[in-house]
Every structure is written in structure tokens, then in C-alpha cells.
Amino acid sequence: MKATARAHPIQGLVKYHGMRDEELRFPYHDSISLCTAPSNTTTTAAFDPDRDEDHYVVDGEVVDGHGADRIRSVVDEVRERAGFDYRVRLESENSFPTNIGLGSSSSGFAAAALACVEAAGLDLSLPEVSTIARRGSSSAARAVTGGFSDLHAGMNDEDCRSERLDAPADFADDVRIVVGEVPAYKETEAAHEEAADSHMFDARLAHVQDQLVEMRDAVREGDFHRVFETAEHDSLSLAATTMTGPAGWVYWQPDTLEIFETVRDLREDDDVPVYFSTDTGATVYVNTTAEHADEVEAAVADCGVDTEVWEVGGPARVVDDESDALF
């Protein structure tokens, strides 16, 4: 009862903020993202009736405390659906820097959910798997279905699941994401917990509905400018909400702001199709096209940060090659 799965992290395009139910991770509103490749998380899970306790390892470190509780919420749901209570050994590795705003929890819980589902012998669709991954992180639901995906809000698993948005293949293939890595630690969960306490939160709930409508239509039309201009505006809206909560979260760093200005200069002075986006972190996603990726990467690197160039990634998948298993 062993399986390995791989998933790509997400870049939030219209991001969720705050949860109606913290245990089941039902968000207040829908959210849309794209997966980024080749960045990925690989997870191997094995259920063993002779094992006495669960064992979780991420990037070579044993996970305990709250981190283990989050993984267990995914594993327990799989055990319940499978009708057994076997303990699990689960090991995970990330191919990219974690905890700097690059969505490692999304790919981590997506890969964990799919690996556990496969190891348990469950026959589930990816949207069904997304409801299990959501218990670890709401963003993980969208990492399960991949590409451009939409997580619907709801108060049950029938409603609150992710579905893939239809995007023209030539549009998705042309997107490039230049990552400007700004390695500042961030605490996403705490920001979600206090989201509703911001005086800007109600305004965001009202405004985000227009953002969602705009984004869905722009993705289906393959309209690069509308998709990523909307994502840029949504990033600013999200930051306004986090910064006006009780803790006054400010994730951005001087390098973050320098990248913002570089992007705007490229767009306004050089007519380059480029837009910035951030999730809850200081690292910046700089969205452009294949034609301009080298030029944009050079400009972002001139800000003194490490860079990567990524593409739109697909859904979580089972890895059949035994050589990719982590144990």
C-alpha cells in the first residue's frame, strides 16, 4: 500500500483570504490560480497495518506539532474513506525554496493527498482528491487540478472543490513566470485567522466577486493582459487587507518594491507585456510571455535577487517510476 505523487505549487491570481471553517478550510470566497512548473513537490506515502504510529518527513526533517496535525488532517480523511486505520509513513521533497511565498503548502498537500489516495486504493477524480487536499491547505485543492484552476467556496465537499478552467493551449504555453526570490519568512495561517478583523475585509469580499468574474472570462479568452492585470490588482487588494488586520502584517521587503517598480518601468517605458503578483510573502511573481522572458529575467535579476523562469504546470499526478519514490 505505497504510492508516489507529484504536484506543482500555485501562483494565486485571485486569492482567497480567511476561512469560514478553519478545520475543514472552507474559504469565504472562490479563488483562482495557475500552477507553476517545473517547480514541484514529490511525496511518497505507504500505509502499513504493522506500523504503530504515523511518520512524516518534509525535506529531510521530521514534522511534528502543528505541522503534523495539518498532514494528519489529510491522512485521516483518506483513512476514513478507505475504511481502515493503518498508520502511514509519508515523506516529501520540494524542488524549490519553501516558506518564502512560492506556494509550497499547495503542492505539498496536493501531492500528499494524491499519494495517500493512490496508496489506499481509492478511485477518486481529481476534483474529489482536491477536497481531501483542501483539509491541509485551501490552495492545495487548486494544485490538485492544475493549470488554471478555480476553487469554489462552500460548506461541504460537494460545493467546495477545485475545477480546471479551460484556457486556450497557445495562451497557457506562452506564459512565463519570472520568480524574483525574496527570502523573508512569512506566516500565512495567522493572517488567514485574523482576516475578518480587518476593516478592509468586507470591502474585499464585495470587490473580489468582480475580480473572479473578470478572471474566469479572461482565462477562457486567453487574454494575457486582462488575466495578469487583474492578478496584479488582486495582489494589492490582498495586501491592503492583511496590512490592516490586528497584527498589521507587512510581507513586502525593499527588494519586493524594487521589483514592482522595475515591472512598471518595463511596461510603461518599454511596452513589455509584464505584470507583478504576490501571494502572502515577499517573493514576486513577474508574469510575461515567452518572447520577453529573458529580458524580464535580466531586469528582475538586476534588483539583486535570485531568479527562476517557470511555466504553467499541469495537475497532480501519480509517479509510476519506482526510482522516483522517496523510500
Side-chain angles (χ1 to χ4, degrees):
M1 304 181 72
K2 176 180 173 181
T4 299
R6 184 168 291 148
H8 300 294
I10 63 97
Q11 173 194 169
L13 299 178
V14 179
K15 293 162 277 290
Y16 82 95
H17 190 47
M19 290 172 284
R20 296 180 186 274
D21 185 308
E22 292 183 9
E23 180 179 353
L24 295 175
R25 296 186 178 269
F26 294 132
Y28 280 103
H29 58 79
D30 294 5
S31 53
I32 299 171
S33 63
L34 65 80
C35 275
T36 57
S39 54
N40 67 80
T41 301
T42 300
T43 300
T44 299
F47 291 102
D48 185 349
D50 296 324
R51 177 175 284 277
D52 294 329
E53 60 183 20
D54 290 337
H55 181 67
Y56 310 129
V57 175
V58 176
D59 287 336
E61 299 289 332
V62 174
V63 182
D64 53 19
H66 181 59
D69 290 340
R70 291 181 69 183
I71 298 172
R72 192 174 299 110
S73 68
V74 171
V75 175
D76 281 347
E77 180 64 17
V78 172
R79 284 192 277 237
E80 181 176 344
R81 296 191 190 202
F84 60 65
D85 195 32
Y86 304 151
R87 299 299 93 187
V88 73
R89 176 182 175 185
L90 185 148
E91 297 194 14
S92 182
E93 287 186 355
N94 296 293
S95 72
F96 60 99
T98 62
N99 215 18
I100 63 169
L102 290 176
S104 59
S105 63
S106 64
S107 55
F109 287 111
L114 186 58
C116 287
V117 163
E118 183 72 10
L122 296 175
D123 183 17
L124 301 178
S125 67
L126 288 180
E128 288 171 326
V129 175
S130 80
T131 69
I132 299 174
R134 191 200 67 235
R135 286 161 163 80
S137 168
S138 291
S139 60
R142 287 176 271 118
V144 171
T145 49
F148 292 85
S149 282
D150 189 343
L151 174 62
H152 302 292
M155 294 298 289
N156 56 67
D157 288 340
E158 290 301 314
D159 295 331
C160 192
R161 59 177 58 198
S162 179
E163 69 170 355
R164 184 85 169 257
L165 291 175
D166 291 329
D170 58 344
F171 162 62
D173 290 345
D174 192 42
V175 171
R176 294 294 182 272
I177 305 104
V178 177
V179 178
E181 296 179 9
V182 184
Y185 179 83
K186 50 87 181 177
E187 183 56 68
T188 305
E189 276 205 277
H192 282 306
E193 288 171 2
E194 67 169 37
D197 296 326
S198 165
H199 69 275
M200 298 289 290
F201 185 66
D202 287 341
R204 176 165 173 80
L205 284 182
H207 174 67
V208 78
Q209 302 306 319
D210 288 339
Q211 300 277 78
L212 289 162
V213 169
E214 182 75 16
M215 184 62 72
R216 289 187 188 105
D217 185 67
V219 168
R220 291 192 173 102
E221 290 293 320
D223 189 325
F224 175 89
H225 292 284
R226 286 173 61 207
V227 167
F228 293 109
E229 182 179 40
T230 301
E232 184 172 298
H233 290 169
D234 183 72
S235 297
L236 300 173
S237 170
L238 177 70
T241 309
T242 59
M243 288 191 290
T244 52
W249 295 99
V250 179
Y251 293 108
W252 297 340
Q253 299 294 311
D255 286 342
T256 308
L257 300 178
E258 184 177 355
I259 295 171
F260 288 177
E261 290 305 309
T262 297
V263 168
R264 285 174 165 162
D265 288 344
L266 285 169
R267 191 167 68 225
E268 295 168 8
D269 297 342
D270 300 329
D271 202 28
V272 175
V274 61
Y275 298 88
F276 64 78
S277 176
T278 61
D279 290 342
T280 44
T283 289
V284 186
Y285 297 100
V286 181
N287 298 293
T288 188
T289 62
E291 179 184 355
H292 296 276
D294 290 344
E295 175 186 4
V296 171
E297 183 184 23
V300 174
D302 283 345
C303 296
V305 301
D306 291 336
T307 61
E308 300 274 358
V309 180
W310 292 343
E311 303 178 7
V312 177
R317 62 197 182 280
V318 174
V319 178
D320 294 322
D321 190 338
E322 184 60 28
S323 65
D324 288 324
L326 302 182
F327 59 86

